[in-house]
Amino acid sequence: MKTPILYIVIPCYNEEEVLPITSKEFLAKINELTEKKLIAPESRVLFVNDGSKDSTWEIIKKLADEDEHFIGISQSRNRGHQNAVLAGLMEAKDKADITISIDCDGQDDINAMNKMVEEYLNGCEIVYGVRSARDTDTFFKRFTAEGFYKLLNAMGAEVVFNHADYRLVSSRVLKEFANFKEVNLFLRGMFPLVGFKSTSVYYERHERIAGESHYPLSKMLGLAFDGITSLSIKPIRIITGLGIFISFLSFIGVIWSVIMYFMHHSVTGWASTTCIICFIGGVQLISMGVLGEYIGKIYLETKARPRYIISERTEKNMEIQELDKE
Ligand code: UDP
Ligand code: MG
């Protein structure tokens, strides 16, 4: 296998305090991996400025002037972390053989990259960086973050536990990923959908070098909600289930009110009113669930996701023909 060209993709939003520090570490890592012959000398550090309001973009431009290993792209406005990562990955797709996305705040251990590249060389197309310990996080952050992954999985959005957006992805996976046209992005739930051989590499998460997190609880809840609604229609199923359950209860309620009526324990009109309320409540929820099922189907159709992805062929010639076409 030829030595792969690596692009490290780094989203940056108002990171003037950390960039001067971490950019040096990224460059050192590229140089180290190149010396070890794990990656090709054409490898790059690709910064994606996500519409920063401070001097982040000026710093990136300066870095690019100083060293050819640094390159940058800038989004016209702030679009959020997920979109910034996607922009970087799509930019790198045709130039690199592998990409590693990582935050620029020094929280993710860049030394895990060695293991990631080795796993790629062993045949894995996606390598997920997984946090082995959250000792440096506060109890609250740890509790909410782990709750986040559990909630996502319970709601039918499959994600790798404790994996954020620190991952190695091959250009081959990125080319297939480019066919996922949806605009609501939840990358860590979407990459498992692409498939191919994958594995995890464990690392310890550090504290932010400087500046503040852009992911307070409110944003994390927003991300969880986006993740669930972009990947799964399980909430709709829950409404249908609730409707069936309430209908069942109302059926008991109807029997109960009829018994009360015949035992003369009720005032006139009570039994019939109760029956109607119970009945209508159940019927409405079931109907909403059924409508929801159709809306869910429409929703999934509008995403126009690829219906299949071929990973290998026995006929080698076909692969060559396809490459020729490209
Ligand atoms: N980020 C971004 N756009 C945003 C918010 C954050 O590109 O709108 C970047 C940020 O610069 C950092 C990464 O996404 O590199 C993760 O953000 P942060 O460290 O604030 O989140 P946390 O690690 O606390 O979850
Ligand atoms: Mg961070």
Side-chain angles (χ1 to χ4, degrees):
M1 189 190 262
K2 87 177 199 347
T3 321
I5 300 175
L6 165 70
Y7 270 47
I8 303 180
V9 174
I10 307 162
C12 310
Y13 176 58
N14 294 347
E15 300 284 10
E16 60 183 7
E17 283 177 69
V18 294
L19 257 187
I21 311 167
T22 51
S23 57
K24 288 199 189 76
E25 295 174 5
F26 291 124
L27 183 61
K29 184 47 82 183
I30 288 268
N31 287 332
E32 179 206 321
L33 291 173
T34 312
E35 268 165 38
K36 287 187 174 156
K37 303 248 180 301
L38 286 169
I39 58 171
E42 297 84 17
S43 299
R44 296 285 179 267
V45 178
L46 168 61
F47 293 109
V48 184
N49 174 38
D50 187 19
S52 300
K53 293 178 182 64
D54 62 2
S55 63
T56 300
W57 181 233
E58 280 64 43
I59 297 174
I60 294 173
K61 280 195 284 192
K62 198 161 148 280
L63 287 169
D65 279 342
E66 287 168 2
D67 194 307
E68 58 166 6
H69 287 99
F70 288 124
I71 49 176
I73 53 173
S74 186
Q75 295 212 88
S76 57
R77 48 161 290 192
N78 179 254
R79 298 294 300 264
H81 173 225
Q82 300 286 299
N83 296 64
V85 175
L86 180 74
L89 292 178
M90 289 301 120
E91 181 77 10
K93 165 170 73 84
D94 300 316
K95 299 173 191 149
D97 300 307
I98 46 176
T99 58
I100 296 181
S101 49
I102 184 169
D103 295 350
C104 73
D105 54 10
Q107 283 194 283
D108 301 321
D109 182 10
I110 61 169
N111 293 319
M113 287 188 189
N114 298 40
K115 192 90 198 303
M116 286 183 167
V117 176
E118 278 165 25
E119 291 290 0
Y120 167 76
L121 296 172
N122 288 338
C124 287
E125 303 272 348
I126 307 180
V127 185
Y128 299 102
V130 175
R131 289 164 205 175
S132 57
R134 280 184 175 270
D135 299 343
T136 53
D137 283 346
T138 59
F139 171 76
F140 182 71
K141 174 86 189 178
R142 191 160 67 206
F143 180 74
T144 49
E146 290 188 348
F148 169 85
Y149 292 100
K150 287 189 184 136
L151 176 71
L152 281 172
N153 279 316
M155 282 296 176
E158 273 173 52
V159 288
V160 178
F161 192 69
N162 265 344
H163 158 70
D165 282 301
Y166 184 19
R167 80 177 82 74
L168 177 148
V169 180
S170 71
S171 62
R172 186 181 180 201
V173 168
L174 284 179
K175 283 187 185 122
E176 300 295 351
F177 187 77
N179 294 327
F180 286 64
K181 301 286 183 205
E182 55 213 77
V183 284
N184 290 294
L185 297 174
F186 187 63
L187 300 176
R188 66 190 84 167
M190 288 163 68
F191 275 104
L193 296 178
V194 184
F196 290 101
K197 193 170 174 208
S198 66
T199 187
S200 298
V201 160
Y202 296 86
Y203 69 94
E204 273 180 33
R205 186 158 157 100
H206 308 301
E207 272 173 66
R208 208 174 215 285
I209 290 184
E212 278 188 7
S213 166
H214 302 105
Y215 268 105
L217 181 63
S218 57
K219 259 203 185 172
M220 207 149 79
L221 283 177
L223 189 68
F225 194 72
D226 269 357
I228 294 165
T229 50
S230 324
L231 289 167
S232 138
I233 51 169
K234 205 161 172 180
I236 296 172
R237 294 270 149 80
I238 293 177
I239 295 181
T240 316
L242 205 67
I244 293 171
F245 178 67
I246 291 188
S247 300
F248 175 72
L249 282 189
S250 71
F251 180 68
I252 298 175
V254 169
I255 295 173
W256 175 60
S257 56
V258 169
I259 293 172
M260 284 301 169
Y261 173 76
F262 280 115
M263 289 171 74
H264 302 293
H265 283 319
S266 62
V267 273
T268 322
W270 174 84
S272 53
T273 315
T274 310
C275 288
I276 289 166
I277 292 173
C278 291
F279 182 70
I280 293 287
V283 167
Q284 271 180 344
L285 266 183
I286 294 183
S287 313
M288 265 166 64
V290 173
L291 281 179
E293 284 288 326
Y294 283 102
I295 295 173
K297 293 267 148 60
I298 296 170
Y299 177 62
L300 293 180
E301 291 289 344
T302 53
K303 282 180 186 281
R305 282 178 177 163
R307 278 162 295 179
Y308 59 87
I309 295 172
I310 294 166
S311 70
E312 273 169 79
R313 288 198 170 88
T314 54
E315 277 176 289
K316 288 290 171 231
N317 296 346
M318 277 180 73
E319 268 177 38
I320 294 164
Q321 274 170 12
E322 278 189 8
L323 285 177
D324 283 347
K325 258 189 266 163
E326 274 175 16

